[in-house]
Amino acid sequence: MTRTLIHGGLVITASDEVHADVLIEDGRIAALAAPGVLTADRTIDATGKYVIPGGVDAHTHMELPFGGTFASDTFETGTRAAAWGGTTTIIDFAVQSVGQALREGLDAWHAKAEGNCAIDYGFHMIVSDVNEDTLKEMDLLVEEGVTSFKQFMAYPGVFYSDDGQILRAMQRSADNGGLIMMHAENGIAIDVLVEQALARGETDPRYHGEVRKALLEAEATHRAIRLAQVAGAPLYVVHVSAMEAVAELARARDEGLPVFGETCPQYLFLSTDNLAEPDFEGAKYVCSTPLRPREHQAKLWQGLRTNDLQVVSTDHCPFCFTGQKELGRGDFSKIPNGLPGVENRMDLLHQAVVDGHISRRRWIEIACATPARMFGLYPKKGTIAPGADADVVIYDPHTEQVLSAETHHMNVDYSAYEGRRVTGRVETVLSRGVPVVTEREYTGHAGHGVFTPRSTCQYLN
Ligand code: URP
Ligand code: ZN
Ligand code: ZN
Ligand code: ZN
């Protein structure tokens, strides 16, 4: 058994910042001690660096089928890019197609991921077809460690569930301990606005943002909250982008309801200005919920500080500009929805620390600890404490880097953050004690990462 010591760094968790050495034995954190007290077979020097838990990205879509094409990162390329960016666990969304059993969809996702991942992974299940069989299968999945289920109030005819289907799934989750994750946008109304916009000749990417109105995100968020309240179930709203939706979450939380919200870096750093970029460049920024006018950003940061939003995930769902985003030239509704970002999240959120939006501990809380708690992985993942998996990042908080498709590792031909300067950089990444990135060299391999069953939501405040 090798003993590794990470020496001389500032250990940051959601609750503490302490100058300590971290001892790793057998893939787990064995001890934290005052600097210089412990010895080991191998020492990693972290002097002047942060020692943080590996990131937990609770929202990715590797190889997602969407709009006639597939998200361009495989589990192999996407998890390697995640590791480069300091993320050591992803939770990806297995998809049930209409007419399929949950089991079929889940098996297909296991087959895509198994043996291919550089870091550990879990699955949520997208429920597109709520019926008696599906409801029973939800119980089985919870027992297998797939403890969360995404439903869509958007995308009629594809992933969409109506209010009755949503209520039934929520009632089931109230019984079996599962957590419903909601894509909250009124897709029925949005489809009418899409049709009307196209009929007026409004085909550019920026109209994607105009028809998917903030009010229709807020309305759906409100409806999801009340349905969950009626069902007696907790609720997690994914990819919140509208300040009006944050207000709905805040109001419900003030009422004492167990509702939670996730936002993503694209909503914190990008805006409708990007969607309006000329020459169809705006297509690079088409995702749903859509980017919003800049004034929403301040309210999202505020929500993260006041804990009305608890998690920042990426919703990583990359499509190349050439050949994929281009499917929607002349019709914005045919642009595959989604942005790349699994590699950028930890750095962008560190930049938010530098910019004064959040504290260092809040950075770790929203990117590591809370997603792990929310989805039943804590304290195995999301913290640095004796007994936890040794998923550890040595983070250099001083070195500047420029984000670019030239240097990123995601399998996509553009960066949503092209040219953006950020302060801070991942230096070394351990996954269960195994170095996957070593002083900015990739030392991992496909198949190191394993499926990680999850317990039910541990976060009810
Ligand atoms: O645009 C997005 N978000 N694409 C991924 C699918 C989803 O709704 O999360
Ligand atoms: Zn969604
Ligand atoms: Zn998503
Ligand atoms: Zn290995």
Side-chain angles (χ1 to χ4, degrees):
M1 182 168 66
T2 34
R3 289 156 51 98
T4 303
L5 192 68
I6 303 174
H7 169 70
L10 178 67
V11 179
I12 307 173
T13 64
S15 55
D16 295 293
E17 300 187 358
V18 52
H19 285 281
D21 289 358
V22 179
L23 182 68
I24 297 169
E25 265 178 19
D26 221 15
R28 297 199 179 179
I29 308 291
L32 275 74
V37 171
L38 299 171
T39 56
D41 312 313
R42 187 169 63 121
T43 299
I44 301 173
D45 182 23
T47 307
K49 311 279 162 58
Y50 297 161
V51 179
I52 61 173
V56 178
D57 191 340
H59 192 153
T60 69
H61 300 281
M62 307 306 171
E63 305 176 43
L64 178 76
F66 194 104
T69 186
F70 287 84
S72 59
D73 262 319
T74 61
F75 278 88
E76 180 169 356
T77 62
T79 58
R80 189 167 59 215
W84 270 106
T87 285
T88 50
T89 307
I90 61 163
I91 313 178
D92 202 88
F93 287 83
V95 178
Q96 175 204 30
S97 306
V98 176
Q100 230 186 15
L102 294 185
R103 171 70 53 203
E104 273 177 82
L106 181 59
D107 284 352
W109 248 255
H110 273 297
K112 287 178 207 240
E114 201 180 341
N116 292 319
C117 293
I119 53 163
D120 290 348
Y121 60 95
F123 294 126
H124 314 285
M125 188 80 224
I126 288 179
V127 180
S128 316
D129 196 350
V130 177
N131 56 50
E132 277 312 309
D133 294 334
T134 309
L135 293 168
K136 287 189 196 124
E137 281 192 286
M138 285 173 68
D139 300 350
L140 300 176
L141 264 55
V142 168
E143 283 167 23
E144 288 174 27
V146 176
T147 55
S148 37
F149 303 90
K150 187 178 179 193
Q151 291 191 290
F152 289 77
M153 302 168 100
Y155 306 130
V158 189
F159 298 127
Y160 176 81
S161 291
D162 67 26
D163 291 355
Q165 292 169 318
I166 288 167
L167 183 64
R168 280 177 196 279
M170 286 174 165
Q171 288 170 331
R172 198 73 181 204
S173 77
D175 279 346
N176 66 24
L179 179 63
I180 298 294
M181 308 169 76
M182 191 60 70
H183 181 130
E185 285 188 294
N186 186 326
I188 301 284
I190 285 169
D191 273 11
V192 171
L193 298 179
V194 169
E195 204 182 297
Q196 292 170 346
L198 292 173
R200 286 192 298 269
E202 296 170 353
T203 61
D204 286 351
R206 70 187 164 97
Y207 295 106
H208 171 84
E210 292 193 9
V211 297
R212 305 190 82 93
K213 295 193 177 300
L215 278 176
L216 295 177
E217 182 187 341
E219 181 276 324
T221 303
H222 176 85
R223 190 156 32 101
I225 289 167
R226 295 311 167 198
L227 290 169
Q229 185 177 13
V230 167
L235 173 71
Y236 178 94
V237 182
V238 295
H239 50 51
V240 174
S241 69
M243 57 187 174
E244 295 86 345
V246 179
E248 293 291 347
L249 289 166
R251 181 152 63 117
R253 290 176 58 79
D254 287 349
E255 292 172 21
L257 295 174
V259 304
F260 309 102
E262 163 200 277
T263 191
C264 311
Q266 51 270 37
Y267 307 122
L268 295 163
F269 290 90
L270 304 173
S271 73
T272 44
D273 295 352
N274 298 97
L275 267 176
E277 286 178 15
D279 302 325
F280 197 65
E281 292 279 309
K284 294 176 175 173
Y285 306 95
V286 165
C287 57
S288 297
T289 61
L291 302 185
R292 302 293 180 193
R294 294 185 82 84
E295 59 265 28
H296 291 255
Q297 291 172 0
K299 295 291 185 187
L300 296 176
W301 288 120
Q302 182 182 317
L304 284 170
R305 285 190 298 273
T306 58
N307 206 39
D308 289 315
L309 297 171
Q310 294 78 24
V311 172
V312 176
S313 309
T314 59
D315 196 4
H316 176 74
C317 190
F319 296 98
C320 287
F321 182 73
T322 304
Q324 294 196 296
K325 290 290 189 182
E326 282 180 333
L327 293 168
R329 267 194 203 275
D331 179 351
F332 68 84
S333 73
K334 297 206 161 56
I335 301 169
N337 286 199
L339 259 62
V342 74
E343 188 172 353
N344 305 129
R345 183 182 66 129
M346 297 301 284
D347 286 331
L348 287 166
L349 291 177
H350 179 258
Q351 184 59 40
V353 173
V354 173
D355 293 343
H357 291 299
I358 51 172
S359 70
R360 286 192 291 217
R361 278 172 290 157
R362 187 62 175 163
W363 171 43
I364 301 309
E365 190 162 34
I366 64 183
C368 312
T370 300
R373 279 207 174 92
M374 190 75 68
F375 297 107
L377 289 167
Y378 197 88
K380 182 177 166 65
K381 308 293 189 189
T383 192
I384 295 179
D389 282 357
D391 291 2
V392 181
V393 175
I394 320 280
Y395 197 82
D396 170 356
H398 304 298
T399 301
E400 270 204 4
Q401 56 169 324
V402 179
L403 304 182
S404 173
E406 302 279 304
T407 47
H408 76 201
H409 304 85
M410 299 176 283
N411 184 39
V412 60
D413 64 357
Y414 74 95
S415 170
Y417 306 99
E418 189 64 42
R420 187 177 291 260
R421 278 183 179 282
V422 294
T423 303
R425 190 171 84 158
V426 169
E427 193 157 287
T428 290
V429 179
L430 307 181
S431 164
R432 283 178 280 105
V434 175
V436 261
V437 176
T438 307
E439 296 180 28
R440 303 206 52 77
E441 294 242 0
Y442 185 67
T443 49
H445 63 265
H448 168 76
V450 294
F451 173 70
T452 308
R454 298 179 288 113
S455 66
T456 53
C457 177
Q458 303 154 307
Y459 198 88
L460 285 174
N461 55 41

